[in-house]
């Protein structure tokens, strides 16, 4: 059985351990991908810290790109050597959600678990991926072909952060040209929500964050106005910039307290798009009468409600045209052996996206 290097989590909240694991061959409907890049998403960090539970030992990482190096039986439309983006979105294609065009909330349980340690004990390939590793075995539904000459660091970002942010705007919010947007959180996903709003033709795009540095970066991605979240009533500052409340408020940070105040930014008839995921058990509170009285909505959005076979090629084309920033999202690159330092740097909040690169 082939052996690979992977970063393994043995205990929540502890450093990852780079180890040699066994990776079985792809089976029916599966493919093996030799990775070239895997970005570090805050969801990986949250899982590794125990925010959402999960079985251990596990290999996290789910924002990856590489080349197909093996095919299981029954795989169609893909070939060894194809360059692909690897996502965590595993879709059966047959359940009511998939049939209704919502593969991100596929209702059919199932996961590929191809990893074992050197003694033969299972190691979880978390989030259907386990991409903090040299190679992965995933379901064929999880990948999308990309141009062979596309930079793999940029391509890896399309697996999660970009599709989540842009998709939340165009798919979940269904933003119309001329509407006004507030994006709370100017991290990796927030910057892509800002890009999505710009591409969709928003009139005003207000970025809200705790960091002046992040707000300055937000302007380079399309924010027309910025508001420090530390202001006494930041929603009033945002409304003053817009001239009214926002049609869409996108919460891209996983902090329950932010969800408490997000509706304050809304115009009548506006909607809060819930993207960031607080830890399990964290609660927010609202006055439901306020929503009913002025026709406002709370809308959950998982992975930007994307259909990857439709949306990733569209975003690749936007990138090739220079209309979607990907290269500018990469803060730094790291070797797998330095993953704990890369995670620590990500947790400082200064990085847009740190990317693990493989030789």
């Amino acid at each position: 059985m082939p052996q690979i290097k992977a970063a393994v989590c043995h205990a929540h909240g502890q450093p990852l351990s780079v180890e040699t694991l066994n990776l079985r061959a792809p089976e029916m409907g599966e493919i093996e991908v030799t990775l070239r890049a895997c970005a570090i998403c805050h969801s990986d960090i949250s899982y590794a810290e125990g925010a959402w539970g999960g079985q251990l030992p596990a290999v996290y990482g789910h924002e990856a790109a590489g080349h197909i190096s093996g095919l299981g039986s029954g795989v169609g439309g893909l070939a060894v050597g194809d360059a692909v983006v690897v996502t965590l979105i595993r879709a059966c294609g047959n359940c009511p959600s998939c049939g209704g065009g919502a593969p991100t909330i596929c209702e059919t349980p199932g996961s590929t678990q191809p990893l074992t340690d050197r003694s033969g004990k299972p190691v979880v390939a978390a989030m259907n991926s386990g991409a903090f590793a040299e190679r992965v075995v995933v379901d064929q539904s999880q990948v999308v072909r990309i141009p062979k000459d596309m930079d793999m660091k940029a391509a890896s970002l399309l697996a999660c952060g970009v599709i989540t942010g842009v998709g939340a705007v165009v798919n979940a919010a269904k933003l119309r040209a001329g509407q006004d947007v507030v994006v709370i959180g100017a991290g990796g996903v927030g910057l892509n929500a800002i890009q999505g709003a710009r591409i969709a033709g928003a009139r005003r795009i207000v970025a809200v964050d705790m960091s002046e540095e992040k707000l300055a970066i937000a302007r380079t991605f399309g924010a027309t106005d910025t508001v420090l979240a530390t202001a006494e009533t930041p929603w009033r500052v945002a409304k003053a910039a817009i001239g009214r409340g926002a049609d869409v408020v996108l919460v891209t940070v996983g902090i329950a307290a932010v969800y408490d105040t997000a509706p304050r930014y809304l115009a009548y008839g506006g909607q809060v798009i819930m993207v960031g995921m607080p830890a399990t058990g964290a609660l927010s509170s609202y006055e439901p009468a306020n929503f009913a009285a002025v026709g406002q909505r709370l809308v959950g959005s998982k992975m930007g409600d994307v259909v990857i076979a439709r949306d990733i090629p569209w975003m690749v084309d936007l990138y090739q045209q220079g209309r979607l920033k990907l290269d500018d999202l990469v803060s730094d690159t790291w070797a797998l052996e330095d993953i704990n330092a890369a995670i620590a740097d990500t947790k400082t909040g200064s990085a847009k996206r740190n990317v693990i690169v493989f030789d």
Side-chain angles (χ1 to χ4, degrees):
M1 185 177 292
Q3 294 185 327
I4 61 169
K5 292 289 186 183
V8 184
C9 178
H10 288 281
H12 292 310
Q14 296 301 310
L16 306 184
S17 173
V18 178
E19 303 173 12
T20 299
L21 300 179
N22 301 314
L23 179 71
R24 65 160 173 77
E27 298 176 348
M28 172 69 77
E30 296 177 344
I31 63 171
E32 178 190 273
V33 182
T34 296
L35 298 183
R36 297 289 179 250
C38 181
I40 297 174
C41 176
H42 278 280
S43 294
D44 297 312
I45 297 172
S46 294
Y47 264 116
E49 292 181 340
W52 302 317
Q55 295 180 315
L56 297 177
V59 177
Y60 298 106
H62 65 280
E63 199 168 285
H67 295 90
I68 294 177
S69 49
L71 299 173
S73 59
V75 174
L78 298 168
V80 171
D82 283 347
V84 293
V85 169
V86 181
T87 79
L88 61 79
I89 302 168
R90 179 188 174 107
C92 72
N94 298 309
C95 70
S97 292
C98 288
T104 59
I105 51 173
C106 175
E107 299 171 38
T108 303
S111 62
T112 298
Q113 295 299 339
L115 296 173
T116 54
D117 65 17
R118 299 182 77 172
S119 69
K121 295 180 180 178
V123 176
V124 176
M127 291 181 277
N128 298 325
S129 303
F132 287 157
E134 295 172 321
R135 279 181 279 167
V136 296
V137 169
V138 297
D139 189 81
Q140 63 181 326
S141 66
Q142 295 177 236
V143 306
V144 176
R145 281 189 300 179
I146 57 174
K148 286 185 179 293
D149 61 351
M150 186 171 179
D151 181 85
M152 285 293 172
K153 300 185 297 296
S156 70
L157 306 182
L158 292 166
C160 178
V162 176
I163 58 177
T164 297
V166 176
V169 174
V170 299
N171 295 327
K174 295 179 171 58
L175 186 78
R176 299 194 310 274
Q179 290 188 312
D180 298 306
V181 177
V182 168
V183 178
I184 303 178
V189 174
L191 291 176
N192 287 298
I194 289 167
Q195 292 205 85
R198 170 177 51 79
I199 291 165
R203 183 183 73 98
R204 290 275 179 164
I205 305 168
V206 182
V208 182
D209 200 276
M210 303 280 288
S211 163
E212 289 274 20
E213 179 185 2
K214 284 188 173 182
L215 291 177
I217 294 170
R219 284 190 175 272
T220 70
F221 278 79
T224 60
D225 302 272
T226 57
V227 174
L228 269 175
T230 53
E232 185 176 354
T233 53
W235 50 88
R236 290 181 178 170
V237 181
K239 285 181 174 180
I242 296 170
R244 58 191 290 272
D247 299 292
V248 176
V249 173
L250 297 114
V251 180
T252 67
V253 294
I255 302 172
V258 174
Y259 280 106
D260 290 336
T261 57
R264 294 178 179 268
Y265 293 85
L266 287 175
Y268 285 15
Q271 56 183 328
V272 173
I273 307 298
M274 308 169 78
V275 181
M277 293 178 59
T280 298
L283 301 177
S284 294
S285 60
Y286 307 96
E287 291 188 52
N290 291 344
F291 287 88
V294 294
Q296 295 170 339
R297 298 178 299 286
L298 294 171
V299 179
S301 177
K302 181 180 180 181
M303 299 293 294
D305 297 8
V306 295
V307 178
I308 60 173
R310 175 195 68 197
D311 293 336
I312 289 180
W314 168 60
M315 294 182 198
V316 169
D317 193 46
L318 290 177
Y319 168 65
Q320 292 176 324
Q321 295 179 50
R323 296 167 61 195
L324 179 70
K325 293 176 180 283
L326 295 182
D327 302 302
D328 293 350
L329 288 166
V330 178
S331 298
D332 206 348
T333 59
W334 307 73
L336 182 64
E337 289 72 20
D338 298 322
I339 190 168
N340 290 306
I343 288 172
D345 185 72
T346 301
K347 288 171 66 176
T348 66
S350 61
K352 299 183 287 292
R353 269 298 191 266
N354 282 316
V355 181
I356 303 299
V357 293
F358 304 89
D359 294 331

